[in-house]
Amino acid sequence: MDAVRKDIYNSEIPDFCRDCGARLGGVCGALTPEQLTEFSRQTSRKVVQPGGELHGQGEPVHSYANILKGVVKLTKIMPDGRQQIVGLQFAPDFIGRPFSIESEFSAEAATNIEVCALPKAALEQFVNNISNFGHRLHKQALNELDDARDWMLTLGRKTAREKVATLLHLIATHIAPDKSEVLHFELPLTRQDIGDFLGLTIETVSRQMTKLRQEKVIHVENNRTITVHDFGRLADIAGIDG
Amino acid sequence: MDAVRKDIYNSEIPDFCRDCGARLGGVCGALTPEQLTEFSRQTSRKVVQPGGELHGQGEPVHSYANILKGVVKLTKIMPDGRQQIVGLQFAPDFIGRPFSIESEFSAEAATNIEVCALPKAALEQFVNNISNFGHRLHKQALNELDDARDWMLTLGRKTAREKVATLLHLIATHIAPDKSEVLHFELPLTRQDIGDFLGLTIETVSRQMTKLRQEKVIHVENNRTITVHDFGRLADIAGIDG
DNA sequence: CGATGTCTTGAAGCAGTTCAACCAGGGTGG
DNA sequence: CCACCCTGGTTGAACTGCTTCAAGACATCG
């Protein structure tokens, strides 16, 4: 780490960050190369398997993380076991409630994920010393708030059919490789996860997926690989736009 | 405004703010007396009738406001008229999406309200010049996010009975005068509003209220005045805690 | 005192749940 | 290599909680 390699194009950026997909987005986009170096010294890359917990509901938050790859689900669970996913996060989102208090939900890997974790103390140091850093976190919170409110409309007022279409639309816009009319992607969620996100049972989710398949709105392979034939049609069914 | 009256107890606080219930909470709590004076110079008090809009869905945000009194509902509406309340705000909450872009929902007075409105330019000035100000806004956003996610669980996984109890619990904790076991308050929402908040029809809301009344969990006068006899029982029915 | 808006109550219908059986893929071990 | 199971998904049939539609009660206000 002392002998920093340099090249013409990325002269000051630390090795550690050079190949990172999240470098320009999320909180890291706020950092100068020197700050990035300092940042990278305090963080550690972690790989987490599906189902692995980043933090549990009711636990104090002691660590934060930047998602580099994969999907993280935020879930709430009631004492009797009923479960609700209250947020999905994709690269380069930031995980963890700043100004701690204990977490009101658990954060769990939905797919294989790769994160850049940093301890609470480091986060606080960055917030205090880097002017843009707090601002970036604020913006992320506002985005999550907008997403949460969109989803409240989905949960409260949409039919099962619209809900499933809305979910597919959401996933597609976040992880599909291109923005053409025909989209192709891997579902990062199980049917159970989808049910828990939409406030439905797995059976209802399955039935609605089957219907969309029969109507040729989507094509499904191996239960997880989805092709959307007509993105506009999907948005229409989801009740998005006017 | 030039001849500032002073008294022994509130020497530097502007007249304008002296009787304000929100002075110590919300964003104003971050301000020194001098800043408060500057702040008060840029703001104007407004009274809004129930149904009055602070800003509409899809409009650019050009004004912000601090709630001094009353309740504001944030609502989303679909092209076909289906409606969902995505947030309730009480004094001393702050209204308006910082870093504008257009608003994704409308903010509307649910009761008679009194607000302290300030233009976008003034907000930006405060964010840039007062170090705590942005931090307060950030905290407010995080609180709203926690609230939104709590509500997602309510919308997605609770029964009609639990939903109604959850709403009563929410209102009670926000506007009830004291924290004793027996609570007494005015409902700031119509049955339609309650339905739009809970993702239910007004008929279902009414039926569940009747049931809670018959079970002596609550007492209702004039459809709007509620007495909660046993707060713990209400929380229990709402599925809150363990 | 009728008129209007808000809330309640009842009865019928239906979207989504529940319960149960079945199916496909992917180990594992005899 | 097949028998076995185990997990995740689908499909069917019966049920039910909420909605829908319709009528009535209550309060407020010209």
Side-chain angles (χ1 to χ4, degrees), chain A residues 169-220:
Chain A
H169 181 94
L170 174 79
I171 304 281
T173 52
H174 276 84
I175 64 178
D178 53 29
K179 301 285 170 191
S180 63
E181 269 304 278
V182 177
L183 295 174
H184 190 75
F185 57 90
E186 284 281 301
L187 258 189
L189 303 176
T190 65
R191 295 290 184 275
Q192 184 62 61
D193 285 337
I194 297 174
D196 287 344
F197 198 20
L198 295 169
L200 298 172
T201 59
I202 51 175
E203 292 93 333
T204 301
V205 171
S206 180
R207 278 184 252 271
Q208 296 300 333
M209 296 273 283
T210 308
K211 258 192 174 176
L212 291 175
R213 214 176 50 221
Q214 287 166 348
E215 295 169 16
K216 310 276 187 202
V217 179
I218 57 173
H219 181 250
V220 183

